Amino acid sequence: MYTFELKKADSVANAAALLAASGGKALAGGQSLVAALKLRLAQPGTLVDLSGIAELKGIRREGTHVVIGAMTRHADVAASAEVKVGIPALAALAEGIGDRQVRNMGTLGGSLANNDPAACYPAAVLGLDAVVHTSKRKLAAADFFKGMYETALAEDELITSVSFPVPAKAAYVKFVQPASRFALVGVFVAQTAGGVRVAVTGAGSSVFRAKALEDALAKSFTADAAKAVKVPATGLNSDLHGSAEYRAHLISVLAARAVTAAG
Amino acid sequence: MSIPLSLTVNGQAVTTTVDARTLLVDLLRTGLALTGTHVGCDTAQCGACTVLVDGRAVKSCNVLAAQVAGAKVQTIEGLAAEDGTLHPMQAAFRECHGLQCGFCTPGMVMSALDLVARHPGADEAKIREELEGNLCRCTGYQNIVKAVRLGAAEMAK
């Protein structure tokens, strides 16, 4: 690791001020960042540790929404009664991230701010049309994700919580890359107040909605309807784990499985 | 940058100074001479470095020591009784021959304790799923799973 200064923030305002003053990076659970530091892929002059900020933790039900604090660990989302009752698909998604040790450290906010193109949480945020609350503003899911490892967050802006609308039905199914456990392709399907939404992770440079699948599932919310949609491979990721055509095929297959799982 | 750090390791209060970059596993192995926690892959995949932080399994090669300030850390050295009597999970690994070369064993045992705390009656499928973050390069999984089941049963007594 390159050298860095480590500052411990005790409030969101304090963390934002430390980030603004230092131009540093926020440290949430560190499950991607610490690994990047070790490989010298990241060289922040300052790290601002968010783990001591009580206001960023916790899960609560607010009417038709489940609100999850940014520093809530994946394991706590997976085990939460509020999430299991309100959005079981989200609890299951959290339970499937990485492995147990990663889920004990990794956080919702850290995952979203990192916006790894193969991460699971972005699919739930976009699939459920969740609202990302930050230290400065509220962002709709569609406005938050900008591209590969890129979000709308400013340098000194922190995610504080995410508000997930409770859907009528939802499910997330991923095809796991066997070495990394990240999604080779992951598909989140939801019946929401605004209609059927299908969000895809792992297949492109960032999470995206599959309009053709949404239209087909709006007409008929069945596995067969999803399977019949041929997703174009144009612009999709292609690497030694799977070609763009393979990923395109997986999107329909996984969407069909997600529809079945959603019941 | 040096930072002061206080935490509890295997029931003992520890107050020390570490470089901000110090990984938890390096504090344990080099700083505190607790070499039972192993570094396998050093890339947060193999789980040999697994320890419990406030009762939860984490990969200590992928956590900064500063991130566990004030926490209770438990390592493999903290499991046996003072007279050397093995913890039931350790005894089960010995009884079932749940190790071949033994390198992954400390991480397996610590992960098993996190698992049993949440799923005391876990069946074979659940154990295999929960141990996903721990790799055995000898591929001795059969007896590891058997050991975790026996250890869980002994701990329930």
Side-chain angles (χ1 to χ4, degrees):
Chain A
M1 280 182 242
Y2 295 108
T3 55
F4 55 79
E5 299 273 312
L6 186 73
K7 314 255 190 210
K8 211 167 171 69
D10 55 14
S11 69
V12 171
N14 177 224
L18 288 169
L19 286 170
S22 66
K25 270 186 97 71
L27 173 65
Q31 295 305 281
S32 295
L33 181 54
V34 172
L37 290 171
K38 286 170 70 177
L39 293 168
R40 295 191 165 186
L41 292 172
Q43 192 179 4
T46 300
L47 279 188
V48 178
D49 183 2
L50 308 180
S51 63
I53 306 178
E55 61 191 296
L56 291 179
K57 290 174 193 158
I59 300 169
R60 61 183 189 277
R61 179 76 182 246
E62 279 184 7
T64 57
H65 289 67
V66 174
V67 182
I68 304 180
M71 281 295 288
T72 309
R73 317 269 180 194
H74 307 328
D76 294 326
V77 174
S80 158
E82 284 88 349
V83 181
K84 280 189 194 169
V85 169
I87 318 176
L90 184 60
L93 176 148
E95 183 67 22
I97 297 173
D99 51 46
R100 177 70 195 168
Q101 293 97 317
V102 167
R103 293 193 290 274
N104 277 339
M105 284 300 293
T107 66
L108 170 63
S111 170
L112 296 178
N114 191 43
N115 194 21
D116 188 300
C120 295
Y121 266 131
V125 170
L126 190 62
L128 291 169
D129 198 15
V131 174
V132 180
H133 296 258
T134 79
S135 51
K136 293 177 191 278
R137 54 192 164 151
K138 284 193 272 189
L139 286 159
D143 300 325
F144 180 81
F145 302 106
K146 291 292 183 192
M148 188 178 279
Y149 295 107
E150 195 188 343
T151 69
L153 291 172
E155 293 283 303
D156 62 342
E157 185 174 16
L158 291 171
I159 300 172
T160 52
S161 66
V162 181
S163 181
F164 293 94
V166 173
K169 283 181 182 181
Y172 174 70
V173 177
K174 67 173 165 176
F175 193 90
V176 172
Q177 204 273 74
S180 73
R181 306 294 186 202
F182 272 90
L184 190 66
V185 175
V187 178
F188 197 101
V189 171
Q191 278 186 340
T192 71
V196 175
R197 292 173 71 98
V198 178
V200 180
T201 189
S205 58
S206 178
V207 66
F208 64 90
R209 286 171 69 184
K211 287 298 290 174
L213 278 163
E214 290 181 355
D215 293 343
L217 291 174
K219 287 196 197 97
S220 165
F221 195 76
T222 59
D224 284 342
K227 253 186 258 175
V229 174
K230 191 148 174 53
V231 177
T234 320
L236 297 187
N237 297 339
S238 201
D239 55 31
L240 78 166
H241 306 298
S243 65
E245 291 73 21
Y246 184 66
R247 281 184 163 87
H249 178 69
L250 273 180
I251 292 171
S252 298
V253 171
L254 297 178
R257 289 182 193 171
V259 168
T260 304
Chain B
M1 180 197 184
S2 289
I3 48 171
L5 181 65
S6 295
L7 68 164
T8 305
V9 179
N10 297 332
Q12 305 284 315
V14 173
T15 298
T16 183
T17 304
V18 296
D19 187 280
R21 294 172 293 178
T22 306
L23 295 167
L24 175 56
V25 72
D26 291 328
L27 170 67
L28 294 171
R29 287 181 56 87
T30 309
L32 303 176
L34 294 170
T35 54
T37 302
H38 291 167
V39 179
C41 66
D42 202 17
T43 52
Q45 297 178 66
C46 79
C49 66
T50 300
V51 300
L52 301 184
V53 174
D54 292 331
R56 298 164 70 138
V58 306
K59 290 178 178 173
S60 61
C61 83
N62 203 35
V63 174
L64 297 174
Q67 286 180 274
V68 301
K72 289 189 174 67
V73 176
Q74 198 172 18
T75 72
I76 192 76
E77 287 93 342
L79 297 187
E82 272 189 29
D83 66 0
T85 306
L86 293 181
H87 183 282
M89 189 58 77
Q90 292 175 300
F93 269 71
R94 184 176 66 179
E95 178 67 25
C96 298
H97 192 56
L99 57 140
Q100 290 178 32
C101 84
F103 195 85
C104 72
T105 313
M108 288 286 180
V109 171
M110 301 315 285
S111 276
L113 294 178
D114 178 306
L115 187 173
V116 172
R118 290 170 298 110
H119 305 286
D123 61 10
E124 182 181 336
K126 187 71 185 167
I127 291 169
R128 287 181 184 276
E129 182 191 316
E130 287 277 332
L131 290 181
E132 195 177 33
N134 293 77
L135 303 180
C136 168
R137 288 208 68 177
C138 307
T139 69
Y141 296 105
Q142 200 63 31
N143 285 353
I144 289 170
V145 174
K146 206 195 285 180
V148 174
R149 290 194 82 169
L150 176 65
E154 291 296 319
M155 284 170 69
K157 281 182 186 168

